[in-house]
Amino acid sequence: MRGRMWKLAIYLFLLGFILNLLGIVTHVVVSSFAKRWFGKPLPPAFTTDWFTYAWREFELSHVLFITLFIALAVVFIALAIGFPAAYVLARRNFNAKPVLLLLYFLPLLIPQMTYGIPLATTLYGFGVGGTVLGVILAVLVPMVPLAVFILLPFFEQISLNLEWSAQMLGASRMQIFRRILLPLMLPGILTAGLLVLVNTISNFELAFLLAGGGSQTLVVALYYNVFAGGVRPVYSIDAMAVIYMCTVMAVLLVALRFVRPTQMVFRLDGKRN
Amino acid sequence: MARIRFDSRSELDLVAILCLVPSLLYVLAMFVYPFLYGIYISLQPKKRDAGMFSNYVAFFNDAYQYNTIKTTFMLALPTTIAVVLVALFLAYGMRRGIWFERTITTILVLPISLGVVFLSEGILGFYGHNGWLNQLLLAVGLIQNPLELTHNSIGVTFSLFMQNFPFCFLMLLGYISGIDPSLESSARMLGAGPWTIFRRVMFPLIAPGLIIAFALVFVMSFAVFPSAVMVGQPAGSTRTISIAAYQQAFEQYDMSYASAIAVIMGLCQLAALVVIVLVRRRMTIATTMGVGKR
């Protein structure tokens, strides 16, 4: 009985959440197709002009390309240097480990605005501020630790006995990595990659502080256009927001086909049965 | 293999060190160095003759500036508590699977893909003065005047909830569904009710994950910038500390003062972090006993 009430409460919350999400999304989508819209439940006439307008005026093909390029570069580098670090932090004990963990944790724990401002000053000083490279370097600061902390529990779930057995049977480090760790870590790598990717695309503060004219990511371009008030019709901004949503959603849905978020923590025990 | 021994517990060999070096260098060069540099320039005020700490003195003598700390806490803390409690409630309820689990998880994760600008536009439109919600409530006759839900702290809280909830939920769901189900079964076998199972068995196991989730959500909420500008009232009730820092940096071009505000912001964060770590330390003892390994 109590279990049923519990379930009911969950479903009621989900219903509320979905309705609210639907309201928010539909409003922007409807607005992006509206010719004009004020104070009525629905706009009197619809048009797709705002999409062509947004695509042309905001140079969206360029912005999209830059965004994806930055995101993929960040995912690749974050995984490449985060993976080995997560392995060592999960498997080894050493004196400096708590300090190291704290050091990795700090970029996640300190607001991006806090270190973003001095970081931007530094990077502009080195002449990479306002460039694509500058944005990649800055966005990586929280993404490397994010990758490490997502991968860490996945490593911890893989029994050390597997590595020991392999070592016993004469496998080299490389073989252990390639034949045992990599396949078992695949869900972890996908999860980390997915979360880093989505977080990079939607990262605002660091990309905002470092973006110049040609290196604006989609969110930053969108934000700037919101404040180009009066010049840009709100419908065209909503059209751009819809394009943004579709881009990220496509990435997210493709990624969700490979990663089950419910199994973010890999269960070796569950696999055996 | 050459082993560098710091003491008997140390298990760092050359390969392990090589594994750590790239990411460590990155964090040191791109995070620690700028951070220290930020502290340094915050002590070099624009007016040369003023004292080293004149930026900090100026900040704490100006109610318009120092009140941003209170504003930010008042936004971040309630939001964080709400996000974590709701996420815990849902993730705990879904730990052994429910109907349409995959669809539901997907829907809960979707707000991530909206992005802050889309979310703000949607919230302004849907909950705004002329928004669908107000139109509906007026038409039904539940309210006489439109509710003011945007361009104030309610709107920002709401926007923050939508942004941070999916992340927190995913973390907790992963954490909770990773707990060995046999622990729960054993407790049930021994006659424990659902509440006792939660309080005595599951909660101690969830606690470390919960603390991390709390810390992360708090940080994200504390740093609120774009939604405080778009959905809030950036000159008044939702003038958060990051807005103050941004205005100094990119509107007044006073990097020194801006860095000082950034440092103050960081200190507030660290203070909160210390409290969280202290709580975590108390809770991990229970966990270590609960899992019975390590």
Side-chain angles (χ1 to χ4, degrees):
Chain A
M1 184 59 208
R2 197 188 284 174
R4 215 168 278 170
M5 293 285 285
W6 184 256
K7 282 257 147 92
L8 189 69
I10 288 177
Y11 284 114
L12 277 179
F13 171 82
L14 287 172
L15 188 71
F17 191 90
I18 291 168
L19 281 180
N20 151 63
L21 195 62
L22 216 60
I24 289 174
V25 173
T26 324
H27 194 280
V28 180
V29 174
V30 169
S31 169
S32 70
F33 285 107
K35 226 177 186 126
R36 272 176 302 111
W37 189 12
F38 190 76
K40 293 278 180 342
L42 280 175
F46 293 93
T47 172
T48 53
D49 289 352
W50 299 118
F51 283 91
T52 42
Y53 176 91
W55 191 267
R56 197 181 57 237
E57 288 293 306
F58 306 144
E59 292 176 349
L60 278 188
S61 49
H62 176 73
V63 173
L64 274 174
F65 174 75
I66 292 292
T67 309
L68 283 180
F69 178 76
I70 290 175
L72 290 177
V74 167
V75 169
F76 180 76
I77 302 174
L79 284 179
I81 67 180
F83 189 88
Y87 175 77
V88 173
L89 289 172
R91 288 295 198 231
R92 308 298 172 90
N93 271 318
F94 47 94
N95 278 347
K97 193 163 146 182
V99 182
L100 232 62
L101 282 173
L102 186 66
L103 195 62
Y104 282 115
F105 215 7
L106 281 180
L108 293 173
L109 274 174
I110 294 178
Q112 295 181 0
M113 224 40 184
T114 317
Y115 58 84
I117 288 175
L119 179 65
T121 318
T122 316
L123 287 178
Y124 276 105
F126 283 109
V128 287
T131 64
V132 172
L133 180 66
V135 177
I136 293 175
L137 287 177
V139 174
L140 265 172
V141 175
M143 293 310 160
V144 171
L146 185 69
V148 169
F149 281 106
I150 295 169
L151 290 171
L152 203 73
F154 282 96
F155 273 121
E156 280 171 349
Q157 303 269 326
I158 298 174
S159 171
L160 244 181
N161 292 331
L162 290 175
E163 283 180 59
W164 283 338
S165 324
Q167 216 163 15
M168 272 267 300
L169 296 169
S172 67
R173 262 179 208 277
M174 201 55 215
Q175 278 174 318
I176 295 177
F177 171 75
R178 210 165 49 83
R179 308 279 294 267
I180 295 178
L181 284 177
L182 211 56
L184 285 175
M185 277 303 287
L186 216 56
I189 294 171
L190 284 172
T191 309
L194 156 72
L195 287 180
V196 170
L197 183 71
V198 174
N199 268 304
T200 305
I201 295 180
S202 59
N203 179 289
F204 177 78
E205 276 92 344
L206 293 171
F208 175 62
L209 290 176
L210 276 142
S215 59
Q216 285 181 4
T217 59
L218 201 45
V219 208
V220 178
L222 198 47
Y223 181 85
Y224 274 122
N225 283 311
V226 170
F227 288 99
V231 190
R232 308 293 191 200
V234 65
Y235 316 108
S236 69
I237 290 162
D238 286 342
M240 188 171 172
V242 169
I243 295 172
Y244 171 85
M245 177 186 71
C246 293
T247 314
V248 185
M249 218 172 260
V251 174
L252 202 65
L253 287 179
V254 168
L256 280 174
R257 290 216 64 79
F258 297 102
V259 185
R260 279 190 64 174
T262 34
Q263 282 192 337
M264 263 183 52
V265 178
F266 188 70
R267 265 173 289 165
L268 205 58
D269 292 338
K271 278 270 160 164
R272 212 165 38 204
N273 299 329
Chain B
M1 187 57 58
R3 208 169 254 264
I4 299 173
R5 280 190 182 275
F6 295 101
D7 74 352
S8 52
R9 285 193 307 128
S10 185
E11 293 168 19
L12 269 188
D13 53 42
L14 197 62
V15 175
I17 292 174
L18 284 179
C19 283
L20 280 174
V21 160
S23 56
L24 198 59
L25 272 183
Y26 196 85
V27 174
L28 286 176
M30 301 300 289
F31 175 73
V32 177
Y33 168 72
F35 201 80
L36 296 177
Y37 179 67
I39 296 176
Y40 170 75
I41 53 173
S42 78
L43 298 174
Q44 311 268 314
K46 223 176 179 179
K47 290 190 197 110
R48 292 281 158 178
D49 46 338
M52 252 170 76
F53 295 100
S54 66
N55 283 326
Y56 295 90
V57 174
F59 183 87
F60 284 106
N61 275 329
D62 185 353
Y64 186 59
Q65 300 288 25
Y66 69 71
N67 273 338
T68 56
I69 297 180
K70 200 179 120 200
T71 308
T72 317
F73 264 107
M74 293 304 285
L75 270 177
L77 208 58
T79 314
T80 311
I81 292 171
V83 166
V84 172
L85 282 183
V86 175
L88 174 68
F89 161 76
L90 262 193
Y92 191 73
M94 287 171 72
R95 70 192 181 285
R96 297 287 156 256
I98 56 167
W99 301 327
F100 305 115
E101 181 173 319
R102 200 151 174 176
T103 321
I104 287 171
T105 343
T106 312
I107 292 170
L108 288 174
V109 180
L110 279 185
I112 295 182
S113 67
L114 297 183
V116 63
V117 181
F118 188 105
L119 211 55
S120 301
E121 288 283 316
I123 288 174
L124 286 178
F126 185 69
Y127 289 96
H129 196 83
N130 284 317
W132 278 342
L133 186 76
N134 272 324
Q135 287 186 23
L136 181 76
L137 291 178
L138 283 170
V140 177
L142 267 174
I143 51 169
Q144 304 307 320
N145 296 307
L147 301 171
E148 295 300 332
L149 299 173
T150 54
H151 292 302
N152 56 24
S153 47
I154 302 173
V156 179
T157 307
F158 201 72
S159 169
L160 281 177
F161 183 89
M162 297 293 287
Q163 285 169 57
N164 294 339
F165 176 76
F167 195 64
C168 182
F169 169 74
L170 266 190
M171 267 189 74
L172 286 182
L173 189 62
Y175 210 88
I176 293 174
S177 43
I179 294 171
D180 191 347
S182 57
L183 288 172
E184 205 182 330
S185 319
S186 325
R188 198 175 297 125
M189 270 273 296
L190 295 168
W195 173 239
T196 318
I197 292 179
F198 175 74
R199 205 168 56 89
R200 305 289 292 273
V201 181
M202 297 299 277
F203 186 74
L205 291 170
I206 301 168
L210 199 66
I211 299 275
I212 293 177
F214 189 93
L216 289 179
V217 174
F218 183 79
V219 171
M220 293 191 281
S221 312
F222 196 85
V224 51
F225 176 73
S227 44
V229 176
M230 284 183 285
V231 197
Q233 199 188 0
S237 66
T238 68
R239 187 171 183 269
T240 59
I241 190 161
S242 45
I243 295 179
Y246 177 79
Q247 282 177 341
Q248 286 303 327
F250 294 97
E251 285 171 19
Q252 313 288 328
Y253 293 103
D254 187 346
M255 283 314 210
S256 175
Y257 197 178
S259 298
I261 299 179
V263 169
I264 292 167
M265 193 159 122
L267 287 177
C268 292
Q269 279 290 317
L270 282 182
L273 172 68
V274 167
V275 173
I276 291 168
V277 167
L278 288 179
V279 174
R280 181 193 151 93
R281 191 159 289 168
R282 289 189 54 159
M283 282 181 168
T284 32
I285 297 167
T287 325
T288 343
M289 290 183 342
V291 181
K293 64 177 182 190
R294 254 169 252 259

